Amino acid sequence: EQVIAANLDQAVVVFAAAQPTPKWGLLDRYLVACEAAAIPALVCITKLDLALDRTGQIESSLSQDIAVYRQAGYPVILTSAASGLGVEQIRAALQGKLSVLLGKSGVGKTSLLNALQPGLGLRVNQVSQATGKGKHTTTNQEMFPLDGGGAIIDTPGVREFGLWGLEAFDLAEHFPEMRLLLGRCRFGLDCRHDSEPGCAIRQAVLEGRISPLRYRSYMRLMEEA
């Protein structure tokens, strides 16, 4: 177990639209950890300028993935430090709050910080062209006060993120779109939502009310728990 930060108002989970390719299973891990700690989570997609088609629209696959998390109830802000897109929206979301930035190496957390508040003088490394993986720019946690109130904690990028202290039967509670269906299965709270008949959550997946992407993440986490 490793404590990342304490006394937080919110967590800002940062994922790049491209370079590196987003790993949505990792995002689900972060979100489950936030739910388990009762910390509101905001999803920030960076480098949007790298995921636009020839007409300037968001690539359809990315747009569909973003819709999954909005459907689950998470606020998603699209940003580009290069163009300034979404920076004001993120700045407003951070104002007056103690927030932590979470995300894997190379997703642009430091570039986002520099765009939010010029003058922090943070060093930015580009994604390795040889491996496509992020280089570590931040090597330890640092907290920065923000103009207008609030502060943000920048954390080292990670490539793996494990969940700690969660029981398998508690996992569905930490998926907001599943939470309201708990207890409605044929086997009630004993249902694992896997192959049991009369499962309300599996029925919701079939009807499109729960994303198959999120359901697969849930099942992977169940196997690990």
Side-chain angles (χ1 to χ4, degrees):
E1 180 182 17
Q2 180 177 349
V3 177
I4 297 174
N7 302 317
L8 296 167
D9 294 310
Q10 67 180 351
V12 181
V13 188
V14 184
F15 267 66
Q19 297 182 19
T21 302
K23 303 295 184 183
W24 303 115
L26 177 59
L27 174 56
D28 291 328
R29 288 172 180 271
Y30 278 124
L31 294 176
V32 166
C34 290
E35 294 285 344
I39 298 172
L42 165 68
V43 179
C44 176
I45 304 295
T46 61
K47 304 186 184 181
L48 193 67
D49 51 293
L50 301 180
L52 302 178
D53 61 23
R54 294 180 179 179
T55 67
Q57 300 298 311
I58 302 174
E59 293 176 352
S60 60
S61 60
L62 176 63
S63 182
Q64 292 168 7
D65 290 333
I66 290 170
V68 165
Y69 292 93
R70 286 178 169 159
Q71 180 185 2
Y74 292 104
V76 181
I77 299 179
L78 310 179
T79 69
S80 167
S83 69
L85 174 71
V87 172
E88 287 300 326
Q89 194 176 357
I90 282 287
R91 185 178 288 121
L94 299 176
Q95 190 170 13
K97 298 178 180 179
L98 176 58
S99 308
V100 63
L101 287 185
L102 303 173
K104 65 185 294 185
S105 303
V107 297
K109 298 191 305 295
T110 305
S111 296
L112 180 64
L113 270 178
N114 281 330
L116 284 168
Q117 189 162 308
L120 286 178
L122 302 178
R123 182 170 54 89
V124 179
N125 281 345
Q126 295 182 342
V127 172
S128 168
Q129 296 301 311
T131 66
K133 297 179 180 179
K135 299 177 182 179
H136 291 285
T137 297
T138 303
T139 56
N140 60 290
Q141 283 129 318
E142 298 178 77
M143 185 169 71
F144 303 98
L146 298 172
D147 293 344
I152 193 159
I153 300 170
D154 191 19
T155 61
V158 299
R159 291 185 182 145
E160 294 184 5
F161 184 83
L163 298 176
W164 180 265
L166 286 181
E167 299 293 335
F169 276 101
D170 293 333
L171 275 173
E173 285 189 28
H174 305 313
F175 284 74
E177 65 271 50
M178 299 182 185
R179 191 178 297 141
L180 293 177
L181 296 174
L182 294 179
R184 298 186 182 182
C185 303
R186 181 182 299 179
F187 297 113
L189 295 176
D190 291 329
C191 186
R192 294 175 60 88
H193 320 300
D194 184 1
S195 57
E196 299 90 337
C199 174
I201 286 177
R202 290 177 60 220
Q203 185 63 33
V205 175
L206 292 174
E207 294 174 356
R209 292 182 285 122
I210 292 177
S211 163
L213 178 74
R214 290 272 288 168
Y215 179 72
R216 286 194 295 270
S217 281
Y218 164 78
M219 292 307 301
R220 282 195 295 269
L221 292 174
M222 281 285 287
E223 292 172 1
E224 297 173 11

